[in-house]
Amino acid sequence: MAGRAQRSAAGPAPAILPPPPPPLLLLLLAAAAVIRTGDGQNLVTEDVTVVEGDVATISCRVKNSDDSVIQLLNPNRQTIYFRDFRPLKDSRFQLVNFSNSELRVSLTNVSISDEGRYFCQLYTDPPQEIYTTITVLVPPRNLVIDIQKEIAVEGEEIELNCTAMASRPATTIRWFKGNKELTGKSEVEQWSDMYTVTSQLLLKVGREDDGVPVICLVDHPAVKDLQTQRYLEVMYKPQVRVSQNYPVQGLTREGEPLELSCAAFGKPQPTDMRWLRVDDEMPQHVVVSGSNLLISNLNKTDNGTYRCEASNAVGKSHADYMLFVYDPPTTIPPPTTTTTTTTTIPTTITDTTATTEPAVHDSRAGEEGAIRSVDHAVVGGVVAVVVFAMLCLLIILGRYFARHKGTYFTHEAKGADDAADADTAIINAEGGQNNSEEKKEYFI
C-alpha cells in the first residue's frame, strides 16, 4: 500500500511528445503557400520584351477581385510597389494604374541589368504568386563594311566583310548587289551577354558592276531596315565600236566616198586610239583624222579589213571593219519588142570570204537590201525576154514547116493516063527511057 501511495504522490508519468519537424520541411511548407498554382490561378500577367532604352510596362491583374492586397517584386524579391506605395527608391518605376483588380507599373530607360523575373503577389488565403519575364533586346551598335580593294579590275575576285557589333540576340546578315541577293559566310563571337557577327562575301567583278552598290542588311528583332552600303569601283579595258557614217545605207561602190568613225569607252577613258589595215599597208589616199577614217574615192584596191585600236591603263581592245568595194551600177536594155522596156540590173558579186569576229563591220551588209529593191524590176525584165524569145521561136518554126510542105508534079508519066495497059503506057511515054535525062521537076 505504501508503495502505491508513493507513486500516487509523485503524480502521473509525463507524456511523450513527437520530435519537432526539421527546418527544411518548414521552408517547403512556407514556400508552398506562395507558389504558383497553375491553372485556375486568380492572378494574370504577360511576359514583356523591350528594346534597350525603351519603356517596359508590367501588369498584375486579378480575375476575381476580393479586395486583396497586390504587390510587385523585382528579381531580387524586393518590393517595388505595395498597393499604390513604392518602397523601392528606383524612380524609373512609376505607377500607371492601381485598383482592386490591377496593378500596372512602368519601367523607363530599360537596361540589360533590368532583365529577369518580376513577381506579382496577391495576399489571399492561401497567398498567390505569379511571375513575368522581362527580355531586353540590344540592336547592333555599329554596322561597317570593309572592302579588300577600293578599286578593282574586271575579272578580279574581291573580299567584303560586314560586321554588326554588340547585339542581343545575334544578328542575321544578308548581302545584296543591286537588287540581287548574294550568299555570304557568317561567324558569331560572344562577349558576356553580347554578340558580334561578321559576314564575309567573295565577289568576282566585271565592268557591269562599276558603280553598283553592295548592301549589307541586318535582320534583328530590335531594329528594322538597318543597312549600310559601298559602291563598287571597277576598272576595265576599252570597248570599241566602228560605225559607217557614209554611205548611210546601201553598198560601198567604186568611185564613191566612205567615212568611218570609231568610238571607245573604258575606265579610265582610253587615251590612245589609232586606225590600221590588217595584213596590209594603209592606202596613201586614206585620210585619218582623230577617230575618223575617210576614203574619198573607193576602188577595188581598197578591199580589206580596217581596224580601230584603243588602249588604257587596263589593256587594249579593237573593232574591225571589212570593206568590199562593188562595181558601179550599170543599165542593160532588153531586146526590142512592141513595148520598149528599160531594165536596170545591178551587178552582183558573190564573195566567199567570211569572218567570225563579233566586232567586224562588213560593208556588204547593205547588199541584201539593195538586191531586194530591184527584185521586181529584174523579174519583170526576165519575163519579158522569155516571152519575146518564145514568140520569135514560134514564128520561125511556122515558116519552116510551111516551106517544106507541098505537092510534087512531074512529067515522067505524061500520056500514060490513056494507055490500056502498063506496057502501052511506057511506050506512049513522051520520050521513053531515052529522054530520061530531059525530065524536069517543078516544085510549087
Side-chain angles (χ1 to χ4, degrees):
M1 290 291 294
R4 284 194 292 271
Q6 290 176 354
R7 285 194 295 272
S8 177
I16 301 175
L17 297 175
L24 179 60
L25 181 60
L26 293 175
L27 292 176
L28 292 176
L29 292 174
V34 294
I35 196 168
R36 299 178 66 173
T37 60
D39 294 340
Q41 175 70 269
N42 204 30
L43 279 173
V44 179
T45 188
E46 296 88 15
D47 291 338
V48 178
T49 300
V50 61
V51 178
E52 184 182 32
D54 288 353
V55 178
T57 301
I58 306 170
S59 176
C60 300
R61 298 186 302 278
V62 182
K63 290 190 293 185
N64 300 310
S65 176
D66 58 356
D67 296 333
S68 299
V69 175
I70 307 174
Q71 73 169 348
L72 177 65
L73 289 77
N74 66 10
N76 297 324
R77 304 197 71 88
Q78 297 171 331
T79 301
I80 301 174
Y81 268 92
F82 183 86
R83 297 178 64 89
D84 58 351
F85 174 69
R86 188 187 72 197
L88 193 67
K89 299 305 180 183
D90 191 344
S91 61
R92 295 182 303 151
F93 290 97
Q94 295 294 323
L95 184 65
V96 178
N97 182 46
F98 172 73
S99 66
N100 292 333
S101 59
E102 183 184 28
L103 174 62
R104 189 188 309 169
V105 178
S106 66
L107 172 60
T108 59
N109 194 21
V110 177
S111 63
I112 296 178
S113 62
D114 297 322
E115 194 173 69
R117 289 182 175 181
Y118 290 76
F119 300 92
C120 296
Q121 289 186 351
L122 181 64
Y123 284 93
T124 59
D125 187 18
Q128 298 181 29
E129 181 179 284
I130 192 171
Y131 64 84
T132 178
T133 302
I134 291 183
T135 302
V136 180
L137 304 178
V138 181
R141 303 291 185 187
N142 198 7
L143 191 63
V144 180
I145 292 181
D146 292 326
I147 189 168
Q148 182 184 20
K149 297 181 68 175
E150 295 291 336
I151 301 177
V153 178
E154 64 173 335
E156 286 186 341
E157 186 178 63
I158 61 174
E159 177 182 335
L160 297 95
N161 291 281
C162 183
T163 303
M165 295 181 289
S167 65
R168 182 177 182 182
T171 62
T172 300
I173 294 179
R174 300 168 62 190
W175 288 98
F176 291 87
K177 185 181 73 172
N179 295 324
K180 181 181 179 182
E181 186 168 1
L182 307 176
T183 302
K185 182 180 179 181
S186 297
E187 294 183 357
V188 180
E189 296 181 4
Q190 183 175 359
W191 300 90
S192 183
D193 293 334
M194 296 296 183
Y195 298 89
T196 296
V197 181
T198 300
S199 180
Q200 180 189 69
L201 176 67
L202 297 177
L203 180 63
K204 187 174 182 179
V205 297
R207 65 179 60 199
E208 67 278 1
D209 296 323
D210 183 48
V212 175
V214 175
I215 302 170
C216 173
L217 184 143
V218 167
D219 280 342
H220 193 274
V223 66
K224 293 182 179 180
D225 300 328
L226 177 61
Q227 65 182 35
T228 185
Q229 65 183 19
R230 291 285 297 271
Y231 287 90
L232 296 174
E233 187 170 356
V234 182
M235 299 177 65
Y236 51 91
K237 64 182 181 180
Q239 184 176 3
V240 186
R241 181 169 55 89
V242 173
S243 57
Q244 179 178 310
N245 296 339
Y246 187 86
V248 179
Q249 294 178 348
L251 306 177
T252 50
R253 298 187 180 278
E254 191 172 5
E256 295 181 353
L258 171 67
E259 183 179 356
L260 305 177
S261 64
C262 179
F265 307 93
K267 188 173 183 178
Q269 189 64 22
T271 56
D272 185 17
M273 186 181 301
R274 68 191 187 99
W275 282 94
L276 57 92
R277 187 177 182 184
V278 179
D279 299 331
D280 204 347
E281 294 183 357
M282 187 73 78
Q284 295 183 355
H285 58 280
V286 173
V287 178
V288 176
S289 176
S291 60
N292 294 337
L293 182 145
L294 176 63
I295 303 177
S296 58
N297 190 2
L298 289 172
N299 58 66
K300 294 298 185 69
T301 61
D302 297 327
N303 287 340
T305 302
Y306 294 82
R307 174 172 295 176
C308 176
E309 287 185 347
S311 61
N312 60 8
V314 179
K316 178 190 297 184
S317 56
H318 67 271
D320 291 341
Y321 177 90
M322 182 176 290
L323 174 62
F324 189 89
V325 179
Y326 290 87
D327 293 332
T330 57
T331 302
I332 303 175
T336 304
T337 61
T338 55
T339 301
T340 303
T341 304
T342 302
T343 304
T344 301
I345 303 176
T347 304
T348 303
I349 301 175
T350 303
D351 188 13
T352 59
T353 60
T355 178
T356 58
E357 294 187 19
V360 175
H361 182 93
D362 197 339
S363 65
R364 292 172 291 175
E367 179 180 357
E368 184 178 355
I371 292 176
R372 286 179 181 176
S373 64
V374 297
D375 277 349
H376 297 292
V378 172
V379 171
V382 172
V383 171
V385 171
V386 172
V387 171
F388 177 76
M390 291 179 66
L391 290 175
C392 292
L393 180 61
L394 290 176
I395 294 173
I396 293 173
L397 289 176
R399 295 189 62 185
Y400 174 78
F401 284 117
R403 289 175 60 91
H404 290 77
K405 181 179 180 181
T407 304
Y408 289 88
F409 296 93
T410 63
H411 297 279
E412 293 178 345
K414 189 175 180 181
D417 294 335
D418 299 330
D421 51 26
D423 294 335
T424 305
I426 295 173
I427 295 173
N428 292 337
E430 188 175 347
Q433 294 182 357
N434 296 329
N435 297 328
S436 60
E437 294 181 359
E438 298 178 1
K439 287 189 273 187
K440 295 185 179 179
E441 191 175 276
Y442 297 92
F443 176 82
I444 301 176

